[in-house]
Amino acid sequence: MKKILLFLFAGLLASAFSSCVILSPKKYKSLLAKQDSLNKGWNESQLMNENLEGLIAKLRKDTTGLSSALNDMKGRYSEMDNNYSKLRSNSSTEINKLSADLKKREQRLKEVEEILRKRDEATNKLKEKLQQALLGFTQSGLTVEIKNGKVYVSLTDKLLFPSGSIIIDEKGKQALTQLANVLKQQPEINIAVEGHTDSQKITNLGQIKDNWDLSVLRSTSVVRFLTEICKVQPVRMTATGKGEYQPLGPNTSAESRSKNRRIEIVLSPKLDELYDLIKQ
């Protein structure tokens, strides 16, 4: 461009000389001023051009960096999208699995509740039958109640045994016979016979050394009568002695001690179906 300007300026000079016109100092200075102006314009345009080229280079560099960052973000987004898809797929599978397990548990819970409902219903019916069958012995200290889903038939020792004896008397045999008649109609009921005593020490009872002996021997006497005389299936029976260690009340009076000396016949429904269900 500078060459073009010089060329133009030379043309002007040539034109002036060709016309054989001698330039006045003023005209000459004017031409020199124009040359300086053109040179200044050229330098400014050169500087502007250099600035523009630097700006373009910087923009190209920034564009390259932005393009790289954009590609990196696209890669991360693609990875996150893939991870989300996998997570959603796995979550869906886990949710379906948990839902199926929950349905199974709910079904099992309903089955357990139904078994327990039937147990409670059978227990209440058994209690009613026993209360009717043993009604004549309630005045002699016999009680029938439900505790923890089981029927407890409690007979004081004065209803079954003479003082300090392990031999069942006639009134006791009558009560046990009435009880056995109901139990033989309920083959699904397990029977546990528990002997209990007061805290007074045993003296002068021969082979019976202490309250443990007395409670166990009285329990086995009842079991033998129910199985051998009344023909209740022995496989359903359990005999235990609790001694003085599960009293109904304090052994501070004759009345309290009399309540503590007792035979408890604990009747519980067989829950094999429930146990099998729980094991699954």
Side-chain angles (χ1 to χ4, degrees):
M1 187 174 181
K2 186 175 182 181
K3 291 180 179 180
I4 296 172
L5 293 174
L6 291 174
F7 179 77
L8 292 173
F9 181 72
L12 289 173
L13 290 175
S15 175
F17 284 118
S18 63
S19 60
C20 299
V21 177
I22 298 173
L23 294 176
S24 66
K26 184 177 181 180
K27 187 72 172 179
Y28 178 74
K29 289 182 178 179
S30 175
L31 290 173
L32 289 177
K34 286 183 179 180
Q35 181 182 12
D36 291 339
S37 176
L38 289 173
N39 286 334
K40 183 179 179 182
W42 166 253
N43 291 332
E44 289 178 351
S45 65
Q46 282 290 91
L47 180 61
M48 185 180 296
N49 183 58
E50 291 175 357
N51 291 336
L52 286 173
E53 288 179 351
L55 180 60
I56 291 171
K58 185 176 183 302
L59 288 174
R60 285 176 178 173
K61 183 178 179 181
D62 292 343
T63 301
T64 302
L66 289 173
S67 178
S68 177
L70 179 61
N71 291 332
D72 183 58
M73 290 181 66
K74 286 181 178 180
R76 291 185 180 183
Y77 173 79
S78 178
E79 181 180 359
M80 291 176 63
D81 187 57
N82 290 334
N83 290 337
Y84 173 74
S85 298
K86 291 179 181 178
L87 180 61
R88 184 172 58 183
S89 177
N90 292 336
S91 298
S92 178
T93 302
E94 289 297 322
I95 289 173
N96 292 335
K97 183 179 178 181
L98 290 173
S99 178
D101 290 342
L102 181 60
K103 288 181 180 179
K104 289 181 181 179
R105 290 177 181 272
E106 289 177 348
Q107 180 61 33
R108 188 168 298 173
L109 179 60
K110 289 180 181 179
E111 292 174 1
V112 170
E113 289 175 344
E114 179 62 17
I115 292 173
L116 293 176
R117 186 193 66 78
K118 290 180 180 179
R119 182 206 66 177
D120 293 340
E121 183 179 318
T123 300
N124 288 324
K125 288 182 178 178
L126 178 60
K127 177 189 174 184
E128 292 173 3
K129 289 182 180 180
L130 290 171
Q131 285 178 326
Q132 293 175 2
L134 302 171
L135 184 62
F137 302 96
T138 55
Q139 297 299 322
S140 301
L142 183 147
T143 60
V144 182
E145 59 181 341
I146 295 176
K147 292 186 294 184
N148 302 320
K150 301 176 182 179
V151 178
Y152 283 72
V153 181
S154 182
L155 306 96
T156 59
D157 68 334
K158 65 182 180 181
L159 176 59
L160 293 174
F161 304 100
S163 179
S165 174
I166 61 172
I167 299 173
I168 303 172
D169 61 21
E170 289 303 316
K171 191 171 184 179
K173 291 178 181 178
Q174 292 176 15
L176 292 176
T177 300
Q178 291 289 88
L179 174 63
N181 290 335
V182 176
L183 296 180
K184 286 189 289 186
Q185 298 172 14
Q186 306 288 330
E188 73 284 358
I189 300 297
N190 290 319
I191 306 163
V193 180
E194 298 177 354
H196 300 266
T197 69
D198 60 24
S199 61
Q200 289 188 323
K201 302 301 179 182
I202 297 297
T203 57
N204 300 322
L205 289 182
Q207 65 175 352
I208 303 174
K209 295 180 175 58
D210 53 26
N211 284 325
W212 282 115
D213 275 352
L214 182 59
S215 65
V216 171
L217 292 173
R218 282 184 168 179
S219 175
T220 53
S221 293
V222 171
V223 168
R224 286 194 184 95
F225 182 82
L226 290 174
T227 56
E228 295 175 4
I229 305 302
C230 299
K231 305 303 179 183
V232 177
Q233 291 179 312
V235 71
R236 300 168 56 191
M237 307 291 296
T238 302
T240 59
K242 303 290 186 176
E244 62 196 73
Y245 299 103
Q246 292 187 10
L248 295 177
N251 289 286
T252 55
S253 66
E255 183 180 357
S256 294
R257 288 193 295 271
S258 177
K259 290 180 180 179
N260 291 335
R261 297 191 304 270
R262 67 198 188 278
I263 289 289
E264 285 191 342
I265 300 176
V266 184
L267 310 174
S268 55
K270 293 180 180 179
L271 298 177
D272 296 342
E273 184 180 0
L274 177 60
Y275 296 145
D276 291 342
L277 189 62
I278 292 175
K279 288 179 182 178
Q280 292 177 5

